[in-house]
Amino acid sequence: MTEPQPGLGEPLSAQMYQTLRRGIILGEYPQGSPLKEARLADELAVSRIPIRAAIPRLENEGFLTTAPRRSARVTTWTGRAVNELFDVRLSIESLAARQAATAVRQGASTDALTASLDLAHAAVASGERLAIAEAHTTYHERIVELAGNELLASIMRGVLGRMTWLFYLTAERDPAGQSHEHDELVEVIGSGNDRLAESIAFAHIEKGRAPSLEILLRAG
């Protein structure tokens, strides 16, 4: 799997969003650093307008923080931020896994979920950190989509960027082991056992909390 690149056919603001998002995840724009519109426009050879349009979306997805009359700054990961993300994921994704299993029992297809799992395995085999992070995020997104709960999917979209970023920063966590746990969860969802799917999803997510905190604290 190759690392996502800004699409040439997209509006310029969307391209700038993708460029800045990728740069933040990769650390090209360090945590806590200011992002000034004028400097970014010069650096990326565009006007300020698409930069200005991209910033609110990046803020909504947790990549930036802004204050009145001040430049946007790249968000800094803290222990509190990590714990908040895991708490929200436990609520969203455990419910999603249960509802996904129920949907399968009622006839829904797991094809999209299985395809995302195959892509995640391919990304792990490639060893590309961003590809792995993106693929694992997509896998979790597909579970929520399979649940068929539009409100849940809308809430999930608000945390997907944070998930990808944290997955990238904590890439030294055992990605092969995580993929094995993903296999197990897909199998249980496919069996239609909703309560078991819920419990396995909860355990899988919670298992990542302590090592993620440890890695970030060590890096900081």
Side-chain angles (χ1 to χ4, degrees), residues 98-173:
R98 173 160 61 86
Q99 292 188 342
T102 299
V104 170
R105 193 170 65 244
Q106 295 172 347
S109 171
T110 61
D111 287 350
L113 178 58
T114 301
S116 73
L117 184 61
D118 291 340
L119 289 174
H121 286 321
V124 170
S126 76
E128 297 178 16
R129 288 177 58 183
L130 183 54
I132 295 169
E134 294 277 9
H136 281 176
T137 301
T138 298
Y139 162 83
H140 286 279
E141 184 181 13
R142 293 293 175 267
I143 293 175
V144 177
E145 290 175 354
L146 181 56
N149 184 321
E150 293 183 6
L151 179 57
L152 199 62
S154 176
I155 296 170
M156 183 66 170
R157 283 192 289 272
V159 301
L160 292 173
R162 292 173 176 86
M163 288 172 60
T164 301
W165 192 5
L166 188 61
F167 287 163
Y168 179 83
L169 293 174
T170 59
E172 62 191 82
R173 284 181 56 204

Side-chain angles (χ1 to χ4, degrees), residues 49-61:
I49 295 173
I51 301 293
R52 191 173 299 140
I55 285 176
R57 182 175 176 187
L58 290 164
E59 183 179 17
N60 288 338
E61 295 183 8

Side-chain angles (χ1 to χ4, degrees), residues 5-126:
Q5 301 290 337
L8 295 178
E10 296 178 329
L12 193 54
S13 60
Q15 293 182 43
M16 293 304 100
Y17 158 78
Q18 291 289 348
T19 297
L20 294 172
R21 178 185 186 276
R22 186 173 187 274
I24 290 169
I25 292 173
L26 295 179
E28 295 167 0
Y29 303 107
Q31 295 180 41
S33 63
L35 291 187
K36 298 182 181 295
E37 289 180 10
R39 180 173 63 83
L40 290 172
D42 288 342
E43 176 187 322
L44 300 173
V46 297
S47 72
R48 294 190 187 189
I49 295 173
I51 301 293
R52 191 173 299 140
I55 285 176
R57 182 175 176 187
L58 290 164
E59 183 179 17
N60 288 338
E61 295 183 8
F63 291 101
L64 299 176
T65 55
T66 61
R69 296 182 295 278
R70 299 184 65 180
S71 298
R73 286 186 177 272
V74 178
T75 300
T76 298
W77 279 100
T78 63
R80 176 177 178 176
V82 173
N83 278 315
E84 286 179 349
L85 177 58
F86 272 92
D87 289 343
V88 170
R89 289 188 60 204
L90 286 173
S91 298
I92 295 174
E93 296 185 60
S94 297
L95 173 59
R98 173 160 61 86
Q99 292 188 342
T102 299
V104 170
R105 193 170 65 244
Q106 295 172 347
S109 171
T110 61
D111 287 350
L113 178 58
T114 301
S116 73
L117 184 61
D118 291 340
L119 289 174
H121 286 321
V124 170
S126 76

Side-chain angles (χ1 to χ4, degrees), residues 117 139 179-189 196 200:
L117 184 61
Y139 162 83
S179 289
H180 176 72
E181 293 175 14
H182 290 170
D183 288 335
E184 181 184 18
L185 182 53
V186 168
E187 181 179 353
V188 173
I189 289 173
L196 184 56
I200 289 177

